[in-house]
């Protein structure tokens, strides 16, 4: 687990700017409590944080050719290149020599061998920065699916970069300003690839390389989804998916630190858990550790349109089957309302979110898991990859000419979308969040690849699948990664293996839905590993509290915000609408309407905290 940051400037002498870069890396201290290193030269200064439990090799920044020969290249890496052993062998055969086991050495060797095209050789979850002093060029590389965030901020003659926004905001040249476009991105939940929210800040898009040098900034795509022609029959397709999933799990189980599994009892996490447990048993390793989140009031669980079954019975059935060493993490209302927890969850993400209780519960879960292991595998992204998101089963959402998750928010009662109904009407008119979302949706539609024989239905479903894997994952993956990293926990997501994602995307719709249910291909690929109850279990998303006490506390917090006329968010809110909202906590307890309604209160409260803590200047 690590974090990277740096500063390149083609005119300024950065040799003595180690303190500035150290202040950038210090914002990510949770990623490396004691292992921090900064390397400076006249034109580049690189910083790296890594947790002692995951540090290895010669440390980073990793520099090649210092001394009389002169620096040939330097690299910092956040994440992991899972095919590093194969690349190491190939590079060794080409004459490269390695001093240790650090993956950064492989990245540096690959850059020396293939230049920026080395990105096409990597398989994994990573954010990489390479400084090439001979070319006076900084190369930033983000993995294909966007597992690892990587931000950058042009400064005219230079550029700043970091694994998190806060690393860039710590630089004295950067002011935390959010303009209308940044607010639109936050409030639309569009997940626009490359958007950094703060003015002047960008994010390296998944599957892209960004190069900064004497010619300015250039962006180049090295991977994207393709439609292609799927020639395998159904049985072969299922077998191929199983093989790809096994390869992904096997590669991600390789670690020199203790690892565990986040288990929900659903098809996605159960399939990964069963594969991981089997592979560990074959290697003579100990029982796999598993962790599940539940809420203190789960004994009063009431099924609704979204959460139809509680997780616990399915979790314990699988745990018994695979012989896992299991721990239930129980979260109470007090945990979700703890002001320290709420503040830390916001700091982890650097921007406000309508998913407040999901952020805080994930934070508490990750914090508890980190007491036992620094690395966790989880089943996130399978819904996007295999078609298991809720909107995939609601025809009117599939046909909406906007992002389906925004259509779902409208369907569930959100007048203006998700997290926006308590905002000032004048502000909403000025921002035109629906218009912004429509434009970003059109941008995404223009990038969708289609097969030559696609029917009208196939074309539409391929568009939805594309949105699931691009814009939706761009909201989901950094969300989980940043919260986990904030407590020193590293996530690995086998379903984000790009070969698996591409293969499923290219399969025809008839195969993806051959059994008339969601995630048909995944269900068939792992059915032999799981109890039938889990194979047949209806999709149930990440759990949320159904406790009336949480709804009442949320409304009380909102009333407290309204009672503070000088609160930073006051000019942005519709006070009358917020008071009416706060007077009806019962409407926030259960069901899709309650889930969407909670997003409005959560966003108002997070906006206020964010504006205050980050000293954000809103420039409309």
């Amino acid at each position: 687990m690590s974090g990277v940051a740096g500063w390149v400037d083609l005119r300024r002498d950065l040799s003595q700017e180690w303190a500035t870069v150290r202040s950038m890396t210090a914002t990510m201290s949770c990623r490396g409590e004691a292992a921090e290193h900064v390397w400076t030269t006249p034109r580049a200064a690189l910083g790296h944080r890594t947790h002692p439990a995951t540090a290895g090799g010669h440390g980073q920044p990793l520099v090649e050719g210092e001394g009389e020969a002169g620096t040939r290249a330097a690299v910092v890496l956040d994440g992991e290149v899972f095919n590093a052993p194969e690349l190491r062998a190939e590079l060794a055969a080409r004459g490269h020599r390695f001093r240790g086991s650090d993956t950064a050495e492989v990245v540096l060797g690959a850059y020396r061998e293939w230049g920026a095209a080395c990105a096409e050789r990597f398989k994994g979850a990573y954010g990489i920065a390479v400084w090439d002093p001979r070319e006076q060029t900084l190369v930033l590389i983000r993995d294909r699916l966007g597992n690892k965030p990587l931000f950058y901020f042009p400064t005219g003659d230079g550029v700043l970069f970091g694994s998190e926004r806060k690393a860039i905001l710590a630089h004295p040249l950067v002011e935390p300003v959010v303009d209308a476009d940044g607010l639109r991105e936050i409030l639309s939940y569009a997940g626009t690839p490359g958007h950094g929210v703060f003015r002047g800040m960008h994010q390296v898009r998944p599957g892209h390389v960004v190069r900064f040098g004497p010619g300015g900034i250039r962006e180049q795509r090295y991977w994207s989804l393709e439609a292609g022609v799927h020639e395998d029959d159904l049985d072969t397709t299922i077998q191929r998916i199983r093989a790809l999933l096994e390869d992904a799990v096997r590669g991600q189980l390789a670690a020199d630190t203790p690892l565990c599994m986040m288990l929900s009892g659903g098809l996605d996490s159960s399939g990964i858990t069963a594969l991981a447990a089997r592979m560990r048993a074959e290697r003579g390793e100990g029982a796999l550790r598993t962790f599940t989140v539940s809420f203190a009031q789960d004994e009063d669980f009431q099924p609704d349109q979204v959460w139809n079954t509680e997780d616990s019975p399915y979790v314990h059935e699988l745990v018994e089957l695979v012989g896992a060493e299991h721990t239930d993490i129980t979260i109470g209302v007090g945990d979700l309302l703890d002001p320290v927890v709420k503040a830390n969850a916001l700091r982890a993400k650097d921007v406000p979110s309508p998913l407040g209780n999901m952020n805080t519960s994930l934070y508490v879960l990750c914090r508890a898991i980190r007491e036992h292991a620094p690395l966790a595998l989880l089943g996130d992204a399978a819904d996007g990859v295999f078609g298991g998101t809720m909107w995939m089963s609601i025809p009117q959402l599939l046909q909406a000419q906007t992002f389906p998750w925004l259509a779902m928010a409208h369907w569930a009662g959100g007048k203006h979308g998700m997290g926006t109904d308590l905002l000032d009407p004048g502000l909403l008119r000025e921002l035109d969040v629906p218009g912004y979302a429509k434009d970003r949706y059109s941008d995404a539609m223009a990038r969708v690849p289609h097969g030559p024989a696609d029917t009208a239905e196939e074309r539409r479903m391929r568009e939805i699948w594309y949105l699931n894997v691009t814009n939706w994952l761009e909201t989901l993956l950094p969300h989980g990664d940043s919260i986990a990293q904030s407590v020193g926990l590293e996530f690995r997501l086998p379903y984000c293996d790009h070969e698996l994602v591409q293969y499923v995307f290219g399969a025809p719709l008839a195969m993806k839905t051959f059994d008339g249910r969601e995630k048909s291909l995944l269900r068939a690929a792992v059915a032999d590993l799981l109890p039938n109850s889990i194979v047949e279990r209806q999709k149930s998303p990440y759990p949320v509290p159904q406790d009336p006490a949480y709804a009442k506390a949320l409304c009380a917090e909102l009333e407290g915000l309204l009672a503070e006329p000088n609160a930073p968010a006051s000019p942005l809110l519709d006070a009358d609408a917020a008071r009416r909202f706060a007077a009806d906590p019962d409407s926030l307890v259960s069901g899709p309407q309650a889930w969407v309604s909670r997003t409005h209160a959560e966003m108002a409260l997070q906006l206020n905290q964010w504006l205050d803590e980050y000293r954000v200047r809103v420039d409309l």
Side-chain angles (χ1 to χ4, degrees):
M1 189 187 71
S2 55
V4 303
W7 181 12
V8 168
D9 196 296
L10 301 184
R11 294 185 180 274
R12 186 193 299 248
D13 186 350
L14 304 182
S15 301
Q16 302 303 313
E17 294 290 349
W18 58 269
T20 301
V21 176
R22 180 156 291 170
S23 70
M24 297 171 70
T25 59
T27 64
M28 300 179 288
S29 59
C30 54
R31 296 174 176 235
E33 298 161 356
E36 176 190 67
H37 301 284
V38 173
W39 174 82
T40 62
T41 65
R43 295 291 173 258
L46 308 183
H48 187 261
R49 276 268 188 177
T50 190
H51 199 281
T54 58
H58 291 270
Q60 297 182 46
L62 188 65
V63 182
E64 182 184 43
E66 282 191 299
E68 294 183 2
T71 302
R72 291 192 289 273
V75 64
V76 285
L77 163 69
D78 170 28
E80 191 61 55
V81 177
F82 297 131
N83 64 330
E86 294 84 355
L87 288 173
R88 181 184 296 271
E90 180 179 356
L91 290 166
R94 292 172 176 262
H96 291 260
R97 297 292 176 262
F98 299 98
R99 294 175 292 168
S101 60
D102 199 323
T103 301
E105 276 198 280
V106 177
V107 171
L108 197 53
Y111 178 79
R112 293 280 294 145
E113 183 69 29
W114 299 297
C118 66
E120 301 170 16
R121 307 279 182 138
F122 300 146
K123 180 178 180 178
Y126 46 79
I128 297 169
V130 179
W131 168 243
D132 186 336
R134 299 189 177 187
E135 298 289 335
Q136 293 285 282
T137 297
L138 175 71
V139 179
L140 302 174
I141 306 171
R142 191 176 177 202
D143 66 78
R144 291 169 176 82
L145 273 297
N147 285 263
K148 294 295 181 183
L150 184 58
F151 299 91
Y152 66 98
F153 187 99
T155 61
D157 293 321
V159 65
L160 309 170
F161 68 88
S163 297
E164 299 182 16
R165 294 178 180 91
K166 62 174 64 69
I168 294 174
L169 293 173
H171 195 282
L173 291 178
V174 180
E175 181 186 2
V177 179
V178 173
D179 55 23
D181 193 59
L183 276 181
R184 292 181 183 115
E185 181 63 24
I186 292 172
L187 298 173
S188 69
Y189 218 66
T192 305
H195 206 297
V197 175
F198 291 95
R199 179 185 287 172
M201 192 179 297
H202 308 272
Q203 187 168 189
V204 180
R205 293 192 285 175
H208 281 68
V209 173
V210 172
R211 301 180 63 171
F212 169 79
I217 290 180
R218 290 178 292 163
E219 184 181 36
Q220 181 179 354
R221 185 181 66 193
Y222 70 89
W223 184 84
S224 63
L225 289 169
E226 298 176 355
V229 177
H230 190 85
E231 298 180 346
D232 294 340
D233 62 18
L234 179 59
D235 288 342
T236 304
T237 297
I238 293 169
Q239 293 169 13
R240 177 62 176 156
I241 288 172
R242 173 63 170 267
L244 287 169
L245 191 54
E246 288 178 346
D247 287 345
V249 173
R250 186 176 295 108
Q252 296 189 28
L253 279 177
D256 55 5
T257 59
L259 59 82
C260 64
M261 182 73 212
M262 292 176 66
L263 177 62
S264 72
L267 181 68
D268 311 344
S269 63
S270 297
I272 295 296
T273 300
L275 281 173
R278 174 179 291 187
M279 291 174 184
R280 286 174 64 90
E282 290 172 351
R283 298 198 299 241
E285 299 175 351
L288 179 67
R289 293 212 64 168
T290 56
F291 295 85
T292 296
V293 63
S294 61
F295 292 98
Q297 84 288 358
D298 275 0
E299 64 273 9
D300 300 320
F301 176 84
Q302 295 294 323
D304 58 37
Q305 293 170 272
V306 181
W307 292 272
N308 51 82
T309 54
E310 58 180 325
D311 293 337
S312 181
Y314 301 93
V315 166
H316 290 280
E317 186 175 5
L318 185 71
V319 165
E320 183 176 355
L321 176 67
V322 303
E325 181 183 346
H326 184 70
T327 302
D328 285 308
I329 307 298
T330 302
I331 298 176
V333 170
D335 296 308
L336 299 179
L337 297 174
D338 185 333
V340 174
V341 168
K342 295 177 74 171
N344 287 344
L346 173 61
R347 292 189 193 108
K349 298 186 64 159
D350 289 327
V351 293
S353 162
L355 307 180
N357 64 79
M358 297 178 77
N359 293 340
T360 49
S361 64
L362 181 60
Y363 177 89
V364 175
L365 173 62
C366 290
R367 185 179 63 183
I369 291 174
R370 183 61 186 87
E371 295 179 4
H372 304 277
L375 178 62
L377 272 67
L378 61 161
D380 278 20
D383 282 336
V385 174
F386 287 94
T389 50
M390 181 180 174
W391 48 83
M392 298 297 286
S393 60
I394 304 176
Q396 68 193 80
L397 304 186
L398 295 177
Q399 297 307 317
Q401 297 302 298
T402 187
F403 297 109
W405 51 95
L406 299 184
M408 187 177 72
H410 289 291
W411 170 77
K415 295 178 182 178
H416 303 287
M418 187 164 60
T420 54
D421 282 10
L422 302 185
L423 297 181
D424 177 73
L427 175 65
L428 290 174
R429 284 193 297 271
E430 180 178 357
L431 293 177
D432 186 18
V433 175
Y436 176 85
K438 182 178 179 180
D439 289 343
R440 301 293 76 76
Y441 170 80
S442 296
D443 293 342
M445 289 298 96
R447 296 192 294 268
V448 179
H450 289 287
D454 284 356
T455 64
E457 182 185 17
E458 186 92 32
R459 286 181 63 87
R460 182 54 183 162
M461 294 307 293
R462 200 179 293 279
E463 289 170 350
I464 298 296
W465 236 276
Y466 182 87
L467 293 176
N468 286 346
V469 176
T470 55
N471 292 61
W472 179 246
L473 289 192
E474 186 70 332
T475 69
L476 176 69
L477 300 184
H479 155 82
D481 183 80
S482 59
I483 288 177
Q485 296 269 17
S486 73
V487 296
L489 181 66
E490 178 84 10
F491 275 175
R492 288 186 179 178
L493 287 73
Y495 289 114
C496 281
D497 178 270
H498 75 274
E499 293 177 344
L500 174 66
V501 172
Q502 174 57 67
Y503 187 76
V504 175
F505 181 77
L509 179 62
M511 287 188 182
K512 293 173 181 173
T513 59
F514 77 89
D515 65 357
R517 295 187 60 185
E518 82 285 351
K519 294 186 286 194
S520 302
L521 291 173
L522 177 60
R523 182 173 294 102
V526 300
D528 65 302
L529 299 168
L530 305 175
N532 189 62
S533 60
I534 294 177
V535 174
E536 297 301 325
R537 185 187 182 191
Q538 186 177 339
K539 168 67 184 175
S540 192
Y542 181 85
V544 297
Q546 293 183 323
D547 194 332
Y550 181 76
K552 291 178 182 178
L554 195 63
C555 290
E557 286 191 23
L558 185 59
E559 289 175 337
L561 170 59
L562 296 172
E564 293 289 339
N566 295 322
S570 291
L572 307 180
L573 299 180
D574 181 341
D576 291 337
R579 289 190 184 94
R580 291 192 299 270
F581 182 96
D584 186 20
D586 290 343
S587 66
L588 307 182
V589 176
S590 179
Q593 287 78 18
W595 182 82
V596 171
S597 293
R598 278 198 296 266
T599 69
H600 306 315
E602 303 273 20
M603 178 60 86
L605 294 168
Q606 283 212 10
L607 269 173
N608 189 69
Q609 186 174 5
W610 178 62
L611 293 171
D612 181 41
E613 184 169 332
Y614 280 71
R615 296 293 187 264
V616 175
R617 179 166 66 86
V618 178
D619 185 4
L620 302 180

